[in-house]
Amino acid sequence: MPLTADNAEPIDAVIAWVDGSDPQHAARLDAYLAGLGGARPAMAHPTRFDHAGEIDWCVASILRFAPWMRTIHIVTDRQTPALLTRLRGTPFAERVRVVDHREIFAGYEDCLPTFNSRSISSLFWRIHGIADRHIYFNDDFVLLRSVRPDYFFRDGRVVVHGRWATQSHRHWIKRAAQRLGFERQAGQHPTESRAQDLSARLAGFERRCFRLEHCPYPMRAATLAGFFAEHPDLLRETIAHRLRHPEQLRPESLAVHLELARHAAVTDTHLRLVQIKPAEQWFPRLRARLARADRDPRAAFACAQSLDLAPPRVREHLIGWLNRRVGTLDRFRRDQAALA
């Protein structure tokens, strides 16, 4: 699309990725867990590190549906996804770059190795050459249709997807449960709502929190860089957690609330997310959800969580749907070659 004054500034993509089947990565994790002692914590469940090739659809969807993105940075721990080999020698090879944890943790090497996506994403702004405007993708995110820069950055502001809600600890039901002791065990787990509430309070929101949808997160590097420059101790405290921690902030939520606090964000409910949990959702319901997404022109994002845990029949159906809606990286290469 033609660039306007507002979107002439480059926009990058950042993908956090790990291959839990890598023996060296597994050894680093096992060594860390052995040092902790006790039972394996829930935050170290294998599904948090395993993958079923989701990153291929993620990258293919960006290249296909957001060709205006400048560079795709894949942040990982001494690993290289196989897709880099398949892109070698193509016009897209220079657009995909692997970023090692040691690059963004320079000066904080004592916090490595880390197995915590929140610690890692807290330092995306330290990626060498990162565009100030960038979009954070989990490796299980995909785009389902062509998207424009102004779907993510508009009129100098960040476009955010989600809704306002009362912070969890402000709900009378939560307060009553805490008084009765029902919340004690739950308080030991790093829940999404708890992390987002903490992030909101750090940005000055005491009662409300903007609950982010689980879809690509537009961010500005200068926002977190400036915040952590003023709060260096909080940065170190955040990235020191090797696994998710109940008192840890969520960086993308903090960034959004900082933008909202200075009126530099705009909410948008036009585009829709297709949330897919193939290991949990009843198969007929999942098929119906995918069919509705095919009919909905506003369905722009999908997140397929824990595909590795899905039953074979469900996984096969979802893979077929992703191949049809997004296409594999090899199919994208063939399509582009045919157009050349």
Side-chain angles (χ1 to χ4, degrees):
M1 63 173 292
L3 292 178
T4 67
D6 187 56
N7 62 29
E9 183 185 348
I11 300 174
D12 287 349
V14 183
I15 305 171
W17 178 78
V18 63
D19 178 5
S21 65
D22 174 11
Q24 294 183 354
H25 179 273
R28 291 193 290 274
L29 177 58
D30 289 343
Y32 173 69
L33 295 177
L36 294 180
R40 189 182 185 105
M43 291 300 104
H45 191 286
T47 193
R48 291 192 172 274
F49 313 106
D50 290 344
H51 72 98
E54 295 94 336
I55 192 172
D56 282 36
W57 289 296
C58 180
V59 171
S61 75
I62 295 170
L63 292 174
R64 182 182 297 278
F65 296 128
W68 42 266
M69 287 197 200
R70 185 185 64 173
T71 303
I72 301 172
H73 304 271
I74 300 176
V75 182
T76 186
D77 179 17
R78 286 173 274 182
Q79 299 177 321
T80 302
L83 66 87
L84 268 294
T85 301
R86 304 208 300 281
L87 289 176
R88 191 175 300 153
T90 73
F92 310 100
E94 294 184 357
R95 293 184 56 196
V96 182
R97 173 178 178 257
V98 173
V99 177
D100 190 81
H101 288 179
R102 290 167 291 186
E103 176 179 320
I104 59 177
F105 279 82
Y108 300 99
E109 288 83 359
D110 57 304
C111 297
L112 292 176
T114 187
F115 313 97
N116 184 343
S117 61
R118 291 179 185 167
S119 298
I120 296 163
S121 58
S122 295
L123 295 174
F124 283 166
W125 54 274
R126 302 184 92 215
I127 294 173
H128 296 166
I130 185 73
D132 182 50
R133 301 192 305 175
H134 57 275
I135 304 171
Y136 170 25
F137 287 74
N138 290 355
D139 65 353
D140 56 7
F141 288 174
V142 296
L143 301 174
L144 296 176
R145 48 162 288 187
S146 293
V147 292
R148 304 192 309 261
D150 62 359
Y151 290 169
F152 303 95
F153 300 93
R154 185 182 309 157
D155 300 326
R157 295 183 291 178
V158 174
V159 179
V160 295
H161 301 275
R163 61 180 178 83
W164 283 104
T166 302
Q167 293 185 26
S168 297
H169 68 284
R170 294 281 184 176
H171 285 293
W172 70 269
I173 295 178
K174 290 281 186 181
R175 293 199 299 269
Q178 289 172 350
R179 293 192 188 99
L180 294 172
F182 296 139
E183 287 286 295
R184 290 173 185 169
Q185 185 174 3
Q188 300 173 5
H189 298 285
T191 62
E192 285 296 319
S193 60
R194 188 171 184 172
Q196 292 196 51
D197 289 349
L198 171 60
S199 302
R201 290 195 295 276
L202 287 170
F205 295 88
E206 292 299 327
R207 300 191 62 86
R208 295 196 304 162
C209 175
F210 190 82
R211 300 282 185 225
L212 292 171
E213 287 194 339
H214 205 50
C215 61
Y217 309 109
M219 303 171 69
R220 293 180 58 248
T223 299
L224 287 185
F227 178 84
F228 286 128
E230 296 178 359
H231 304 87
D233 293 341
L234 179 59
L235 174 61
R236 173 167 283 282
E237 177 186 333
T238 298
I239 65 177
H241 296 297
R242 310 294 182 95
L243 296 171
R244 287 190 183 183
H245 189 273
E247 300 302 328
Q248 189 177 31
L249 61 85
R250 184 177 172 189
E252 56 272 29
S253 179
L254 173 60
V256 161
H257 284 93
L258 290 170
E259 303 288 12
L260 288 164
R262 63 188 187 91
H263 306 290
V266 56
T267 60
D268 194 322
T269 59
H270 175 70
L271 299 181
R272 291 179 176 167
L273 165 71
V274 183
Q275 183 74 53
I276 307 166
K277 297 182 178 181
E280 302 176 17
Q281 291 166 334
W282 186 41
F283 188 28
R285 180 171 295 178
L286 182 143
R287 285 190 303 183
R289 175 167 296 189
L290 300 182
R292 285 195 302 271
D294 285 337
R295 298 190 300 269
D296 186 356
R298 295 168 60 187
F301 315 115
C303 175
Q305 292 180 301
S306 299
L307 181 57
D308 56 298
L309 297 181
R313 182 176 63 153
V314 177
R315 183 187 308 184
E316 181 181 359
H317 184 82
L318 181 54
I319 288 175
W321 184 79
L322 288 168
N323 285 340
R324 178 171 55 81
R325 284 297 305 256
V326 177
T328 64
L329 197 57
D330 290 336
R331 175 183 149 193
F332 172 77
R333 288 180 53 196
R334 290 195 301 269
D335 291 347
Q336 294 300 305
L339 294 173

